[in-house]
Amino acid sequence: MAIQGFDYKGFAQNLAQQSLELIPKDFDDNQKNYVANTLLNFSTIAGQALNDDTQLNFNLDQAMMITQIIAEWSFHKSVDLIRSGIPQQYWDPIMQKIAFTIFEVAKNAYHQGLPQDQCLQLIEHHVKKTYLDCIAELKDKNLIDDGLMEKAASQSNIDAMMQEQAQAEQQQAQQVQQENNSSASVQTVSQVDNLVQNPLGADAKVFKLATLALLFQKMKQEKVQSILNKFNPDDAQSVIKFMGMPDLNSKLDPGMTMRCLEEIKTSVPSAHQNLTPSKIINKIQNVSQYFDKSQLERLLRPERVKVKRFVFTALEGEYLEMPPKVANIIATHIEDSV
C-alpha cells in the first residue's frame, strides 16, 4: 500500500534542485551533473522502494526523512569522490554500496523506533565505514596507490560544510551579540547616567539622550519601543524627537558619542556571557514540550545532519560539541518556531 501523500518523485526532484546551489563552484559541468544526478537517482529509487514496501509500513514523515538522508549523503560522498582524484569509472560502484548501506541501516533503525539522534549517528558511522572500505578495496586490487587512497580517505565534504556553516553562524552570532549589547545596555536612563561621568557638565543628560537616539536609529523599531517603555515619559519623548532629526549625527561631537557608546558596551554584561551547555540544553528541552516528535522532525527537515543530531542529542540531556554561540542560534530558532 502506497504511503498517503508521499510524492517521492517530486520530493527527489526538489532535493536535487536544492543541491544545485550547494555544489562546489569549482566543479566542471560533468562533475556538477554527476552530483545532481546521483542524488536524484538514489533518492528516487529509495523513495519508490519505501512507497512500495508492504511490510515495514513507514509513515510519511519517516519515508521523507529516510529519502532525505540518502539524498544528503549521496551529495556529500559524490563530492568527496570527485575531490579524491579517484577515476570516475569507480564512482558508481562506490556510490551504489553507500546508498544501499544507508537504505538498509536507516530502514532498520527507524523500524526499531530508535531515537532520531541515534539513527543519524548510526547512519553516519556506516556511511563513513563503507566509503573507507571501498577505497581500501581499490587499493587492495592495485587500482589506486597509497597516496590516492590517503587523499580519498581524508575527504569529508559534510565536515567542511559544517565548518563553513559554523563560521558563518558565528559571525551572525557576533552581529546579534553586538546588537543585543546595544539594546540590553539601555535599560533605563538612570543606568545610562551612571555610564557617562561629569565632564559633560550641565548638558550631560541631553547629550546622553541624543546619543541613545543616534543608537536607536540603527535598531529595529520593536526593540526600540520595548526599551523606551522603561523610560520615564518625558525622557522617552525627548529620545523620539532626537530620532526624528535626520541630521542628528552631524550635530553631535563624534568623540563624545564614541566615548558614550563604548562605555555602554563595556559596562553592560554580554547577553551571551553566561551561555553554558546546560542552559542551551534546558532551552531546547523547554521548547520541546510544545512539539511532538513528528512535528520536531518536520521542523528540522531542511537542516543539516549535524544540526539535527545536536537537537535530538540535547533532548536526551547531552550536549553535542558545538560553539555555544552557534548552539544558541539553533536553540533560539526552535524557540521562535513555537
Side-chain angles (χ1 to χ4, degrees):
M1 180 177 177
I3 300 173
Q4 186 174 2
F6 186 35
D7 176 14
Y8 65 88
K9 291 183 180 179
F11 186 51
Q13 288 281 358
N14 183 47
L15 292 172
Q17 188 64 35
Q18 293 179 38
S19 74
L20 296 177
E21 300 178 3
L22 302 174
I23 296 175
K25 304 300 181 185
D26 59 319
F27 279 13
D28 60 32
D29 289 343
N30 172 60
Q31 293 167 333
K32 291 178 180 178
N33 289 334
Y34 182 82
V35 174
N37 290 335
T38 298
L39 183 157
L40 176 62
N41 290 339
F42 286 138
S43 55
T44 301
I45 292 171
Q48 182 176 8
L50 292 168
N51 192 58
D52 295 344
D53 187 275
T54 58
Q55 296 180 343
L56 298 179
N57 295 319
F58 287 119
N59 60 35
L60 176 61
D61 288 336
Q62 291 171 324
M64 293 183 72
M65 180 64 71
I66 294 173
T67 303
Q68 182 177 344
I69 290 171
I70 288 178
E72 287 189 5
W73 278 113
S74 296
F75 174 88
H76 291 303
K77 299 320 289 182
S78 60
V79 170
D80 288 345
L81 279 174
I82 292 171
R83 292 212 182 281
S84 72
I86 290 177
Q88 185 168 352
Q89 66 209 64
Y90 305 124
W91 294 354
D92 281 348
I94 293 176
M95 289 305 306
Q96 287 167 6
K97 290 181 180 179
I98 290 174
F100 177 78
T101 297
I102 299 171
F103 188 68
E104 291 302 312
V105 173
K107 277 201 313 179
N108 292 331
Y110 279 94
H111 181 62
Q112 293 173 20
L114 295 181
Q116 179 80 358
D117 63 315
Q118 290 185 26
C119 291
L120 295 174
Q121 290 176 15
L122 191 63
I123 292 166
E124 182 175 2
H125 167 76
H126 283 282
V127 167
K128 292 180 177 180
K129 182 179 183 301
T130 303
Y131 175 73
L132 293 176
D133 287 346
C134 289
I135 295 170
E137 184 179 353
L138 292 177
K139 170 63 178 61
D140 291 341
K141 293 179 178 179
N142 294 319
L143 298 175
I144 60 175
D145 58 23
D146 287 335
L148 195 54
M149 180 181 72
E150 291 179 5
K151 179 182 177 182
S154 67
Q155 300 299 318
S156 182
N157 185 65
I158 187 171
D159 290 338
M161 287 187 66
M162 285 304 303
Q163 185 175 0
E164 291 175 2
Q165 183 178 355
Q167 291 173 346
E169 289 175 342
Q170 200 161 11
Q171 291 175 353
Q172 181 182 357
Q174 290 172 349
Q175 294 175 351
V176 172
Q177 181 178 357
Q178 291 172 357
E179 187 174 332
N180 287 344
N181 284 346
S182 299
S183 60
S185 66
V186 282
Q187 297 294 323
T188 65
V189 170
S190 62
Q191 288 175 313
V192 178
D193 286 344
N194 293 327
L195 297 175
V196 182
Q197 302 302 319
N198 289 330
L200 292 176
D203 294 329
K205 187 172 183 179
V206 174
F207 182 79
K208 295 164 196 171
L209 295 176
T211 302
L212 291 175
L214 187 66
L215 178 65
F216 289 167
Q217 287 178 340
K218 303 180 183 299
M219 294 169 57
K220 293 182 178 180
Q221 183 60 41
E222 58 269 21
K223 289 189 176 181
V224 172
Q225 189 57 54
S226 67
I227 296 169
L228 288 179
N229 288 339
K230 300 173 183 178
F231 283 46
N232 70 55
D234 291 339
D235 290 335
Q237 189 61 36
S238 296
V239 172
I240 292 172
K241 288 182 179 180
F242 281 129
M243 289 177 63
M245 297 174 59
D247 56 349
L248 177 62
N249 187 45
S250 63
K251 293 182 180 297
L252 296 178
D253 176 76
M256 295 305 298
T257 301
M258 290 305 297
R259 173 187 165 184
C260 182
L261 293 176
E262 188 62 30
E263 290 188 5
I264 291 173
K265 178 180 177 181
T266 57
S267 300
V268 178
S270 166
H272 297 284
Q273 188 174 7
N274 297 319
L275 273 182
T276 63
S278 61
K279 288 185 178 180
I280 295 174
I281 289 174
N282 289 336
K283 195 173 183 179
I284 294 176
Q285 289 181 332
N286 289 338
V287 174
S288 68
Q289 63 184 304
Y290 300 102
F291 295 99
D292 59 31
K293 184 177 178 181
S294 62
Q295 289 174 320
L296 192 56
E297 288 176 350
R298 280 196 294 271
L299 173 65
L300 295 173
R301 185 175 295 148
E303 303 297 339
R304 301 295 171 207
V305 170
K306 192 168 183 178
V307 173
K308 297 172 186 173
R309 281 182 55 195
F310 173 80
V311 173
F312 287 106
T313 300
L315 291 176
E316 298 294 326
E318 297 183 11
Y319 186 82
L320 183 68
E321 191 59 35
M322 183 175 290
K325 292 178 182 178
V326 178
N328 191 55
I329 290 176
I330 296 172
T332 301
H333 168 65
I334 296 176
E335 272 189 331
D336 293 341
S337 301
V338 174

Short mmCIF file of all heavy atoms in Angstrom, two decimals, residues 142-175:
data_model
loop_
_atom_site.label_atom_id
_atom_site.label_comp_id
_atom_site.label_asym_id
_atom_site.label_seq_id
_atom_site.Cartn_x
_atom_site.Cartn_y
_atom_site.Cartn_z
N ASN A 142 45.07 -2.95 -6.32
CA ASN A 142 46.09 -2.19 -7.04
C ASN A 142 45.51 -1.27 -8.12
O ASN A 142 46.16 -0.98 -9.13
CB ASN A 142 47.13 -3.13 -7.67
CG ASN A 142 47.94 -3.87 -6.62
OD1 ASN A 142 48.34 -3.28 -5.61
ND2 ASN A 142 48.18 -5.14 -6.85
N LEU A 143 44.27 -0.83 -7.87
CA LEU A 143 43.63 0.09 -8.81
C LEU A 143 43.97 1.55 -8.48
O LEU A 143 43.84 2.43 -9.33
CB LEU A 143 42.12 -0.12 -8.79
CG LEU A 143 41.66 -1.51 -9.23
CD1 LEU A 143 40.15 -1.67 -9.05
CD2 LEU A 143 42.05 -1.76 -10.69
N ILE A 144 44.38 1.80 -7.23
CA ILE A 144 44.87 3.10 -6.82
C ILE A 144 46.09 2.88 -5.93
O ILE A 144 46.28 1.78 -5.38
CB ILE A 144 43.81 3.93 -6.05
CG1 ILE A 144 43.37 3.20 -4.77
CG2 ILE A 144 42.62 4.23 -6.94
CD1 ILE A 144 42.41 4.01 -3.91
N ASP A 145 46.94 3.91 -5.77
CA ASP A 145 48.13 3.76 -4.94
C ASP A 145 47.87 4.31 -3.53
O ASP A 145 46.78 4.80 -3.23
CB ASP A 145 49.33 4.46 -5.58
CG ASP A 145 49.09 5.95 -5.82
OD1 ASP A 145 48.22 6.55 -5.14
OD2 ASP A 145 49.78 6.53 -6.68
N ASP A 146 48.89 4.23 -2.68
CA ASP A 146 48.75 4.66 -1.29
C ASP A 146 48.41 6.14 -1.19
O ASP A 146 47.57 6.55 -0.37
CB ASP A 146 50.06 4.40 -0.52
CG ASP A 146 50.27 2.92 -0.25
OD1 ASP A 146 49.26 2.19 -0.21
OD2 ASP A 146 51.43 2.50 -0.08
N GLY A 147 49.06 6.95 -2.02
CA GLY A 147 48.82 8.39 -1.97
C GLY A 147 47.39 8.75 -2.30
O GLY A 147 46.76 9.58 -1.61
N LEU A 148 46.84 8.13 -3.33
CA LEU A 148 45.46 8.40 -3.73
C LEU A 148 44.49 7.88 -2.68
O LEU A 148 43.45 8.51 -2.40
CB LEU A 148 45.18 7.76 -5.09
CG LEU A 148 43.91 8.24 -5.81
CD1 LEU A 148 43.89 9.75 -5.95
CD2 LEU A 148 43.81 7.58 -7.18
N MET A 149 44.82 6.73 -2.07
CA MET A 149 43.96 6.19 -1.02
C MET A 149 43.91 7.15 0.16
O MET A 149 42.83 7.43 0.71
CB MET A 149 44.48 4.83 -0.56
CG MET A 149 43.62 4.19 0.54
SD MET A 149 44.23 2.59 1.13
CE MET A 149 45.68 3.15 2.04
N GLU A 150 45.05 7.68 0.57
CA GLU A 150 45.09 8.61 1.71
C GLU A 150 44.35 9.90 1.38
O GLU A 150 43.63 10.45 2.22
CB GLU A 150 46.54 8.91 2.08
CG GLU A 150 47.27 7.71 2.68
CD GLU A 150 48.70 8.04 3.02
OE1 GLU A 150 49.10 9.21 2.89
OE2 GLU A 150 49.44 7.11 3.43
N LYS A 151 44.52 10.38 0.15
CA LYS A 151 43.83 11.61 -0.25
C LYS A 151 42.32 11.40 -0.24
O LYS A 151 41.56 12.24 0.26
CB LYS A 151 44.27 12.04 -1.65
CG LYS A 151 43.57 13.30 -2.15
CD LYS A 151 44.02 13.64 -3.57
CE LYS A 151 43.24 14.87 -4.09
NZ LYS A 151 43.62 15.20 -5.50
N ALA A 152 41.88 10.27 -0.76
CA ALA A 152 40.43 9.97 -0.80
C ALA A 152 39.88 9.81 0.60
O ALA A 152 38.78 10.30 0.91
CB ALA A 152 40.19 8.70 -1.62
N ALA A 153 40.62 9.14 1.47
CA ALA A 153 40.15 8.89 2.83
C ALA A 153 40.02 10.18 3.64
O ALA A 153 39.22 10.25 4.58
CB ALA A 153 41.09 7.92 3.54
N SER A 154 40.78 11.19 3.27
CA SER A 154 40.76 12.45 4.03
C SER A 154 39.63 13.39 3.62
O SER A 154 39.41 14.42 4.26
CB SER A 154 42.10 13.18 3.87
OG SER A 154 42.27 13.62 2.52
N GLN A 155 38.91 13.04 2.56
CA GLN A 155 37.85 13.91 2.08
C GLN A 155 36.61 13.82 2.98
O GLN A 155 36.19 12.72 3.35
CB GLN A 155 37.46 13.54 0.65
CG GLN A 155 38.58 13.65 -0.37
CD GLN A 155 39.12 15.05 -0.48
OE1 GLN A 155 38.38 16.03 -0.49
NE2 GLN A 155 40.44 15.15 -0.57
N SER A 156 36.05 14.95 3.32
CA SER A 156 34.80 14.96 4.10
C SER A 156 34.07 16.27 3.83
O SER A 156 34.24 17.26 4.55
CB SER A 156 35.07 14.80 5.60
OG SER A 156 33.85 14.77 6.32
N ASN A 157 33.27 16.26 2.79
CA ASN A 157 32.55 17.48 2.41
C ASN A 157 31.56 17.91 3.49
O ASN A 157 31.37 19.10 3.72
CB ASN A 157 31.79 17.25 1.09
CG ASN A 157 31.13 18.51 0.59
OD1 ASN A 157 31.79 19.48 0.24
ND2 ASN A 157 29.80 18.52 0.57
N ILE A 158 30.95 16.94 4.18
CA ILE A 158 29.98 17.30 5.21
C ILE A 158 30.65 18.06 6.35
O ILE A 158 30.11 19.04 6.87
CB ILE A 158 29.23 16.06 5.73
CG1 ILE A 158 28.10 16.51 6.67
CG2 ILE A 158 30.16 15.09 6.43
CD1 ILE A 158 27.17 15.39 7.06
N ASP A 159 31.86 17.64 6.73
CA ASP A 159 32.58 18.34 7.79
C ASP A 159 32.99 19.73 7.32
O ASP A 159 32.94 20.70 8.09
CB ASP A 159 33.81 17.55 8.22
CG ASP A 159 33.44 16.28 8.98
OD1 ASP A 159 32.31 16.22 9.51
OD2 ASP A 159 34.26 15.35 9.03
N ALA A 160 33.42 19.82 6.07
CA ALA A 160 33.83 21.12 5.53
C ALA A 160 32.65 22.09 5.50
O ALA A 160 32.78 23.27 5.86
CB ALA A 160 34.41 20.95 4.12
N MET A 161 31.48 21.59 5.07
CA MET A 161 30.30 22.45 5.02
C MET A 161 29.84 22.85 6.41
O MET A 161 29.43 24.00 6.65
CB MET A 161 29.16 21.75 4.27
CG MET A 161 29.38 21.65 2.78
SD MET A 161 27.93 20.99 1.89
CE MET A 161 26.74 22.29 2.18
N MET A 162 29.93 21.93 7.36
CA MET A 162 29.54 22.24 8.73
C MET A 162 30.47 23.30 9.32
O MET A 162 30.04 24.18 10.06
CB MET A 162 29.56 20.98 9.59
CG MET A 162 28.38 20.06 9.35
SD MET A 162 26.77 20.85 9.58
CE MET A 162 26.90 21.45 11.26
N GLN A 163 31.75 23.21 8.98
CA GLN A 163 32.70 24.20 9.48
C GLN A 163 32.40 25.57 8.89
O GLN A 163 32.43 26.58 9.60
CB GLN A 163 34.13 23.77 9.14
CG GLN A 163 35.20 24.68 9.74
CD GLN A 163 36.60 24.16 9.48
OE1 GLN A 163 36.79 23.12 8.85
NE2 GLN A 163 37.59 24.88 9.98
N GLU A 164 32.12 25.60 7.59
CA GLU A 164 31.77 26.87 6.95
C GLU A 164 30.49 27.44 7.55
O GLU A 164 30.39 28.64 7.81
CB GLU A 164 31.59 26.66 5.45
CG GLU A 164 32.88 26.35 4.71
CD GLU A 164 32.64 26.04 3.24
OE1 GLU A 164 31.47 26.12 2.81
OE2 GLU A 164 33.62 25.72 2.53
N GLN A 165 29.51 26.55 7.78
CA GLN A 165 28.25 27.00 8.36
C GLN A 165 28.46 27.52 9.77
O GLN A 165 27.89 28.54 10.16
CB GLN A 165 27.24 25.85 8.37
CG GLN A 165 25.87 26.25 8.90
CD GLN A 165 24.89 25.09 8.84
OE1 GLN A 165 25.19 24.03 8.33
NE2 GLN A 165 23.71 25.31 9.37
N ALA A 166 29.30 26.82 10.53
CA ALA A 166 29.57 27.25 11.91
C ALA A 166 30.24 28.61 11.93
O ALA A 166 29.92 29.48 12.76
CB ALA A 166 30.44 26.22 12.62
N GLN A 167 31.17 28.82 10.99
CA GLN A 167 31.85 30.12 10.92
C GLN A 167 30.87 31.22 10.55
O GLN A 167 30.90 32.31 11.12
CB GLN A 167 32.99 30.05 9.91
CG GLN A 167 34.15 29.17 10.36
CD GLN A 167 35.19 28.98 9.28
OE1 GLN A 167 34.97 29.29 8.09
NE2 GLN A 167 36.35 28.48 9.65
N ALA A 168 29.99 30.91 9.57
CA ALA A 168 29.00 31.91 9.16
C ALA A 168 28.04 32.23 10.30
O ALA A 168 27.70 33.39 10.55
CB ALA A 168 28.23 31.42 7.93
N GLU A 169 27.61 31.18 11.01
CA GLU A 169 26.68 31.38 12.12
C GLU A 169 27.36 32.09 13.28
O GLU A 169 26.73 32.87 14.00
CB GLU A 169 26.12 30.03 12.57
CG GLU A 169 25.17 29.43 11.56
CD GLU A 169 24.70 28.04 11.93
OE1 GLU A 169 25.36 27.40 12.78
OE2 GLU A 169 23.68 27.58 11.37
N GLN A 170 28.67 31.85 13.43
CA GLN A 170 29.40 32.53 14.49
C GLN A 170 29.49 34.02 14.19
O GLN A 170 29.35 34.86 15.08
CB GLN A 170 30.80 31.93 14.64
CG GLN A 170 31.43 32.21 15.98
CD GLN A 170 32.57 31.25 16.28
OE1 GLN A 170 33.03 30.51 15.41
NE2 GLN A 170 33.04 31.26 17.50
N GLN A 171 29.73 34.35 12.91
CA GLN A 171 29.76 35.75 12.52
C GLN A 171 28.39 36.39 12.75
O GLN A 171 28.28 37.53 13.22
CB GLN A 171 30.17 35.88 11.06
CG GLN A 171 31.61 35.51 10.80
CD GLN A 171 31.96 35.54 9.33
OE1 GLN A 171 31.09 35.72 8.46
NE2 GLN A 171 33.23 35.36 9.00
N GLN A 172 27.34 35.64 12.40
CA GLN A 172 25.99 36.15 12.62
C GLN A 172 25.73 36.33 14.11
O GLN A 172 25.13 37.33 14.53
CB GLN A 172 24.97 35.18 12.03
CG GLN A 172 23.53 35.65 12.20
CD GLN A 172 22.54 34.64 11.64
OE1 GLN A 172 22.92 33.61 11.09
NE2 GLN A 172 21.26 34.91 11.79
N ALA A 173 26.23 35.38 14.90
CA ALA A 173 26.04 35.46 16.34
C ALA A 173 26.74 36.69 16.92
O ALA A 173 26.23 37.34 17.83
CB ALA A 173 26.56 34.20 17.02
N GLN A 174 27.91 37.00 16.37
CA GLN A 174 28.64 38.17 16.83
C GLN A 174 27.88 39.44 16.51
O GLN A 174 27.84 40.38 17.32
CB GLN A 174 30.03 38.20 16.19
CG GLN A 174 30.96 37.12 16.72
CD GLN A 174 32.26 37.03 15.95
OE1 GLN A 174 32.41 37.64 14.88
NE2 GLN A 174 33.21 36.27 16.47
N GLN A 175 27.25 39.47 15.33
CA GLN A 175 26.45 40.64 14.96
C GLN A 175 25.24 40.76 15.88
O GLN A 175 24.90 41.85 16.33
CB GLN A 175 26.00 40.53 13.51
CG GLN A 175 27.14 40.60 12.51
CD GLN A 175 26.68 40.37 11.09
OE1 GLN A 175 25.54 40.00 10.85
NE2 GLN A 175 27.57 40.58 10.14
#
